[in-house]
Amino acid sequence: MPLYVLAYCGLFVAFMPFVSILLPVKVAAVDPGNRVTLLGWAVLGGAVVASIANIAAGWLSDRGWRRHGTRRPWIALGLILIALAFGAVHRATTPATLLIAVAAWQVALNLMFAPMVAVIADEVPDDRKGRVSGLLGMSHPVGVLSAAVVTLPLFAGEAARFVVNVALCVAMIAPFLLFVRERGGGDGGSATPVRASTPRSRADLWRAWIARLAMQAAGNGLTAYAFFHFADLWRGGGDPAGPVARAMAVVTGVAMVATIVAGRMSDRAGGRKPFLGGATAVVAAGLVLMASASGFGMATVGYGMAMTGLSVFLALHTALAMQLLPSPATRGRDLGILNLTNTLPACVPPILAAMVPAGTGLGAVFVVLAVLAVAGGAAALSIRTER
């Protein structure tokens, strides 16, 4: 389990420094006059490629699992290809070559991501999936920390930053590839169906998909507009970026601890839905508090509630969704379809921006996000074949 958690965090190291810092910097270097447009195309095109690549990679890893009892070769191939893709991004000198390199990077990333996620379902029994999903909540803070490491003054040049990023990925993922052997220890570890596919179970899979889509949409909107909301409420002197960054860092730590604890508690309770319901209530309350906040402190409390509830919901939803999968033989493909709920919400911030009149506050946006979160929680609670 420690090597798996380390490798999973390595996936976030593979993409968070890139999408948050390295790619925008590269875009500005390639086409400074059209950097916003080029970055938008890179993000949109990358999301489309990621959606397709994740399903395809899951399907390929399913074939490997059925034939050889392992998904690791695809993860290893993705690790090799992502190093090459980073090199292609570094060498790109025109918008077209950069977009092609970003697409290749997305294919390589998802060759690792899809099989790695499926390993949880393969290897972890249902009564421990909450604990493991909670531990995987560390991946986001680790990804944020790696972005800080990659941009240290010691690594001033573009090439050095890409090399360090690749080195960190290899150091975190290679031990899992070298020293872990899959044993099929999850419930129904063989390649035969463990539950009959019925209209009710298929409907529950759709409910789980809708629940995560709605909650991820709320999370994307919150991430996109939280800083602007904080800046509007800042009454101190100087740049609000420092205080906002510190507040977000504290919230990230609280959310990580809460997610680990909630994962363990859900395993002991033998059910996820009560925790999903509670997390939904916390998210909605936090967003409403942000919408009505008259000061920076109240907005920070609301943001902390929303992000903590969101982290708990997404982690335990992962555990619940894996328990709903009808067959180990198609876990990778099915989880790839579920992964669309991570890429489709990328369209939410532009839609919200179009809804908000220029010059008005963001309070209405957070109310809409609260409604989305409640809809997601309601869909999760309507699942009938699992507790």
Side-chain angles (χ1 to χ4, degrees):
M1 190 184 297
L3 291 180
Y4 176 78
V5 173
L6 178 66
Y8 190 89
C9 290
L11 298 179
F12 280 69
V13 171
F15 80 85
M16 289 195 68
F18 181 69
V19 299
S20 63
I21 297 175
L22 300 183
L23 179 58
V25 170
K26 182 66 178 181
V27 164
V30 169
D31 192 356
N34 297 295
R35 60 182 184 177
V36 174
T37 301
L38 180 55
L39 182 60
W41 279 112
V43 172
L44 178 60
V48 172
V49 172
S51 300
I52 299 170
N54 195 276
I55 296 174
W59 175 76
L60 289 170
S61 75
D62 285 338
R63 290 170 60 90
W65 170 253
R66 291 195 299 267
R67 292 180 179 181
H68 308 293
T70 180
R71 302 182 191 269
R72 286 178 293 113
W74 292 106
I75 300 172
L77 177 61
L79 185 59
I80 294 169
L81 292 180
I82 204 165
L84 297 175
F86 271 124
V89 172
H90 170 59
R91 295 176 65 85
T93 57
T94 66
T97 56
L98 179 59
L99 291 175
I100 292 171
V102 170
W105 176 85
Q106 283 284 12
V107 171
L109 178 68
N110 283 279
L111 270 176
M112 293 191 292
F113 233 114
M116 189 76 79
V117 173
V119 167
I120 306 175
D122 295 338
E123 300 297 317
V124 182
D126 284 353
D127 61 0
R128 298 184 68 191
K129 282 185 170 68
R131 178 184 305 180
V132 175
S133 297
L135 287 172
L136 297 182
M138 294 188 295
S139 56
H140 188 274
V142 169
V144 173
L145 179 62
S146 70
V149 172
V150 167
T151 55
L152 286 173
L154 180 64
F155 313 117
E158 179 184 285
R161 289 174 174 175
F162 281 123
V163 168
V164 171
N165 204 160
V166 171
L168 288 173
C169 296
V170 171
M172 298 176 74
I173 296 172
F176 171 78
L177 298 175
L178 294 173
F179 303 119
V180 173
R181 296 293 180 269
E182 294 106 311
R183 299 181 177 86
D187 294 307
S190 68
T192 57
V194 297
R195 65 169 74 221
S197 181
T198 65
R200 174 176 287 192
S201 64
R202 288 192 294 270
D204 277 348
L205 278 172
W206 279 111
R207 291 186 181 99
W209 194 90
I210 293 169
R212 191 175 187 92
L213 179 68
M215 193 62 75
Q216 285 279 40
N220 275 33
L222 174 60
T223 301
Y225 293 111
F227 178 80
F228 292 154
H229 192 55
F230 279 127
D232 290 344
L233 295 173
W234 176 247
R235 300 291 182 267
D239 188 353
V244 172
R246 288 190 290 272
M248 289 182 174
V250 172
V251 167
T252 299
V254 172
M256 182 176 67
V257 173
T259 303
I260 293 173
V261 172
R264 289 179 174 270
M265 290 177 64
S266 73
D267 283 342
R268 292 177 181 175
R272 319 287 180 199
K273 288 167 60 176
F275 296 89
L276 292 173
T280 300
V282 172
V283 173
L287 289 168
V288 170
L289 185 59
M290 288 189 72
S292 60
S294 58
F296 187 86
M298 185 180 296
T300 301
V301 174
Y303 177 79
M305 292 173 62
M307 289 301 295
T308 299
L310 183 70
S311 179
V312 171
F313 184 96
L314 294 178
L316 296 189
H317 180 278
T318 297
L320 178 63
M322 289 182 180
Q323 293 171 214
L324 293 170
L325 298 179
S327 171
T330 57
R331 279 171 174 160
R333 181 205 65 190
D334 294 341
L335 288 170
I337 295 172
L338 184 65
N339 183 67
L340 291 174
T341 61
N342 297 324
T343 54
L344 292 179
C347 65
V348 169
I351 293 174
L352 291 175
M355 294 170 56
V356 179
T360 62
L362 291 168
V365 169
F366 293 109
V367 172
V368 172
L369 296 178
V371 173
L372 277 174
V374 171
L381 293 177
S382 69
I383 291 172
R384 293 174 289 178
T385 54
E386 290 287 344
R387 294 173 55 201

